[in-house]
Amino acid sequence: MATDNLADKIPDFNSSAGPQGGGPVDVTAIASIRRAKGLKEILSVLALAVVVVTLLEFILIWSHTEAYVFPKPTSIIRSLFTDFPTLYLKPLRQTVQTFFLGLIIGSTVGLSLAVLVTLKPGLDIFISPYIIILVTTPMVALIPFLMLKFGFGMTPRVIAISLATGPMVMINSATGFRRTNAELIALGKSYGATEFQLFRKIRFPFALPMIIVGFMVGSIFGLLTAVGAEMVGGGMGLGNRLIYFSSLVQMSQFGAVLVIVATFGVGIYSFFTFVNRKWASWDV
Amino acid sequence: MTQATRIKITDVSKIYQSDTKTVEAVKNFSESVQDGEFVCVVGASGCGKTTLLWCLSGLHPATSGTVHIDGELLTKPLPDRIGMVFQDSNLLPWRTLMENIELPFQIKKKPVNRELVDELLEVAGLKGFENSYPGELSGGMKQRGSIVRALAQDPEVLLMDEPFGALDAFTREEMNLFLLKVWERTKKTIVFVTHSISEAIFLADRVWVMSPRPGRLSRIVDVDFPRPRHIDLQFEPKFIEILKSIREDVEGSKSGKGN
């Protein structure tokens, strides 16, 4: 890769792009949403949420809306607490399992490919068309086909989730690696660093914030694919429960599943935001 | 004075090629730098001064011509003999100042020379900031840190590419004095690229004036003000006289070539 940076091109020594923003797929903005800080801000945000939910409850009561049209927040909350072990725990476990399996496989392959195209810069023109196709095509669309091949078990879903997460991890990591300031690489080389040392000591830490964002967005894509795939067929997981409860018009239970899915998604976001602050705080 | 030739540049040319054009960044450059000499390279932007410096570093080999360091032909970076300082301090933001200074030692798999690092930190006024992250340091401190990082390797030659170009005027003067103090103490051979003519005259034993398109050495100015130099030197008539004459050269080379 250093040959790429230090090639006999007309050099532009001052254009040292930072790791944030830009790139072929710029999804980094999600990592920089402003958060509430301090007790006062957090309390007011929570208070507003309570007001909105309470207001919704009263509107539904006053307008005599039937539960099958729109379930009351209280009935959703009640269902969440009373039915959790019986109705929701098993599908949640199934979704979590397929999600993490897909994420691990996808991100491992994605990160490896990113390292590969960084070390062998010529390769990216062959790989990127497939990455673009994979990023832009909803992987849920593959589920019917994959089910014909691999049956109704976990396999087709894990494959789809890997295909949804891998390219996002790859594209962000590769961009992070590539954006490493050319002067920093030159600095390393001037101290006689090997390619491996450059990677370990300069490129990887420099790209870490982008890699974390790749994981975050990849995971969100992965959850989307997981739930979507379960809705298509197979009789497993939270997505399947959404279809099941809505077909029975059990809207309180439907709402409860929706809350669980949303919590899962927000959990992913919070986790990676935390990781980013902990290990890549120099970037912000 | 009998001095050894530290850097010998012979007929160096550097041509950059892109898809659409060819740029002769440096053409037929020949000169040498003596041991312990402080040489500044000035010229209008695009005159190839930075390119020349990179040719001397072994990072961008010359298209033709040769560079010898202590009589040895330069073909690749020489980590133990040449240190580089860039316009940006290039301190890794995820490492503390001390960890940044330790980086070259780690790359070379050598024990950190604590004594030298301590001494350099003292001179640089960075004692007590060893555990600060670059984000917590001022621009001048960061640049001093990067100079400490380079000098801690105890190189014979220090190549500096507009190291103070991004600093404000006052910090810049401070940095110039700091650099002279360090240089007088260590007697390194320094090649210092700058676009500030007064900075060049203030620092250098000799100033190489370059003219652009193609980048050539147009003039060498000997600066023999006594050392140690005081910051008020820049107001002395002789200083201003040299400044004016170099300035005319640089301006002339710009307009003369037509652009």
Side-chain angles (χ1 to χ4, degrees):
Chain A
M1 185 59 202
T3 50
D4 185 45
N5 279 325
L6 299 173
D8 283 4
K9 288 180 290 192
I10 294 169
D12 185 2
F13 297 108
N14 296 324
S15 73
S16 48
Q20 65 278 20
V25 177
D26 188 10
V27 280
T28 53
I30 193 167
S32 51
I33 293 170
R34 200 178 85 86
R35 298 163 59 251
K37 283 198 192 76
L39 193 64
K40 207 175 147 191
E41 263 188 18
I42 291 171
L43 280 182
S44 30
V45 169
L46 286 178
L48 180 66
V50 171
V51 168
V52 169
V53 172
T54 315
L55 210 62
L56 182 64
E57 178 84 17
F58 280 107
I59 290 171
L60 293 174
I61 290 170
W62 289 329
S63 60
H64 301 288
T65 307
E66 296 292 343
Y68 61 83
V69 177
F70 204 125
K72 286 196 215 45
T74 44
S75 68
I76 291 174
I77 292 164
R78 194 181 312 120
S79 170
L80 265 178
F81 280 98
T82 52
D83 304 333
F84 190 80
T86 50
L87 291 182
Y88 310 129
L89 187 60
K90 196 174 155 215
L92 174 63
R93 208 184 298 137
Q94 289 164 337
T95 304
V96 168
Q97 232 166 26
T98 40
F99 168 78
F100 276 109
L101 213 56
L103 176 65
I104 289 165
I105 295 170
S107 56
T108 307
V109 175
L111 201 56
S112 314
L113 280 177
V115 172
L116 188 71
V117 298
T118 310
L119 295 178
K120 295 259 171 286
L123 282 179
D124 55 355
I125 57 162
F126 299 103
I127 295 178
S128 39
Y130 302 98
I131 297 297
I132 304 273
I133 291 170
L134 286 173
V135 166
T136 49
T137 311
M139 284 302 121
V140 187
L142 281 184
I143 287 293
F145 162 75
L146 289 171
M147 277 183 172
L148 287 178
K149 294 273 172 220
F150 300 102
F152 293 96
M154 245 167 112
T155 319
R157 279 191 289 274
V158 171
I159 293 174
I161 295 165
S162 310
L163 288 173
T165 53
M168 289 315 298
V169 173
M170 186 212 142
I171 216 160
N172 279 282
S173 312
T175 308
F177 291 143
R178 195 170 300 131
R179 279 205 199 132
T180 312
N181 189 333
E183 269 192 2
L184 285 183
I185 298 294
L187 179 87
K189 294 219 132 205
S190 80
Y191 292 127
T194 61
E195 273 303 320
F196 180 70
Q197 283 179 321
L198 287 180
F199 213 93
R200 204 164 60 101
K201 302 218 177 278
I202 298 175
R203 270 188 210 287
F204 188 78
F206 196 90
L208 195 58
M210 281 291 282
I211 295 173
I212 293 169
V213 169
F215 267 80
M216 181 198 283
V217 178
S219 303
I220 293 169
F221 270 53
L223 179 64
L224 191 84
T225 309
V227 175
E230 286 159 354
M231 291 173 81
V232 175
M236 279 163 75
L238 294 171
N240 171 265
R241 290 294 95 181
L242 287 174
I243 297 289
Y244 175 80
F245 288 126
S246 68
S247 65
L248 294 180
V249 209
Q250 295 187 343
M251 296 322 276
S252 303
Q253 282 80 358
F254 178 89
V257 176
L258 210 53
V259 169
I260 293 171
V261 172
T263 310
F264 196 163
V266 173
I268 290 170
Y269 173 79
S270 313
F271 173 73
F272 285 110
T273 309
F274 169 77
V275 169
N276 203 23
R277 253 206 314 281
K278 188 114 175 122
W279 281 291
S281 54
W282 55 269
D283 189 39
V284 289
Chain B
M1 275 198 287
T2 50
Q3 278 180 316
T5 301
R6 196 53 104 178
I7 308 174
K8 188 165 169 44
I9 310 166
T10 317
D11 205 25
V12 160
S13 295
K14 178 76 184 179
I15 296 167
Y16 286 115
Q17 253 161 342
S18 73
D19 297 341
T20 48
K21 59 177 176 179
T22 304
V23 177
E24 254 183 317
V26 176
K27 191 174 183 181
N28 304 111
F29 196 108
S30 294
E31 243 311 301
S32 43
V33 184
Q34 305 305 308
D35 181 32
E37 196 179 13
F38 199 136
V39 169
C40 283
V41 188
V42 292
S45 55
C47 73
K49 51 193 191 296
T50 290
T51 303
L52 177 73
L53 196 78
W54 283 67
C55 287
L56 301 185
S57 73
L59 287 166
H60 283 219
T63 312
S64 66
T66 54
V67 176
H68 287 83
I69 307 284
D70 293 326
E72 190 190 313
L73 181 67
L74 182 74
T75 52
K76 57 175 194 323
L78 300 173
D80 293 322
R81 291 155 76 180
I82 302 176
M84 281 198 85
V85 176
F86 303 84
Q87 176 165 7
D88 191 280
S89 70
N90 284 331
L91 296 175
L92 305 179
W94 57 87
R95 283 173 169 248
T96 63
L97 179 62
M98 190 47 106
E99 288 166 347
N100 267 291
I101 294 167
E102 287 167 355
L103 176 76
F105 291 102
Q106 290 169 1
I107 290 175
K108 294 177 184 176
K109 299 193 168 67
K110 284 198 318 196
V112 180
N113 186 344
R114 292 284 164 207
E115 220 173 293
L116 180 59
V117 169
D118 257 25
E119 189 196 326
L120 289 167
L121 285 173
E122 182 79 55
V123 178
L126 289 169
K127 275 274 178 198
F129 293 96
E130 293 90 338
N131 298 321
S132 303
Y133 285 91
E136 300 160 353
L137 302 174
S138 72
M141 290 167 96
K142 277 192 273 201
Q143 201 51 280
R144 288 202 295 274
S146 84
I147 293 170
V148 169
R149 176 176 59 186
L151 287 173
Q153 297 306 306
D154 204 16
E156 294 146 16
V157 176
L158 200 56
L159 303 177
M160 309 182 82
D161 185 11
E162 298 193 29
F164 312 139
L167 303 175
D168 66 85
F170 294 110
T171 313
R172 198 168 177 145
E173 279 182 1
E174 240 172 67
M175 297 297 288
N176 285 338
L177 291 171
F178 159 70
L179 184 61
L180 282 185
K181 192 163 77 174
V182 171
W183 176 70
E184 271 149 27
R185 196 183 270 223
T186 58
K187 280 294 167 194
K188 302 289 177 201
T189 306
I190 298 182
V191 180
F192 185 105
V193 165
T194 176
H195 57 252
S196 159
I197 301 168
S198 64
E199 182 175 65
I201 302 169
F202 182 71
L203 293 171
D205 293 321
R206 282 196 299 155
V207 177
W208 297 352
V209 185
M210 287 183 75
S211 59
R213 280 172 279 271
R216 284 163 295 118
L217 179 61
S218 66
R219 191 177 152 201
I220 298 174
V221 181
D222 285 301
V223 185
D224 45 14
F225 293 114
R227 296 180 188 272
R229 291 176 183 172
H230 189 263
I231 201 74
D232 288 338
L233 179 67
Q234 53 188 319
F235 304 115
E236 281 184 26
K238 197 179 165 207
F239 186 100
I240 294 168
E241 194 183 306
I242 300 173
L243 180 72
K244 268 185 178 162
S245 99
I246 295 179
R247 199 184 146 78
E248 273 162 24
D249 264 24
V250 171
E251 289 292 322
S253 73
K254 259 197 307 196
S255 54
K257 279 284 150 190
N259 205 351

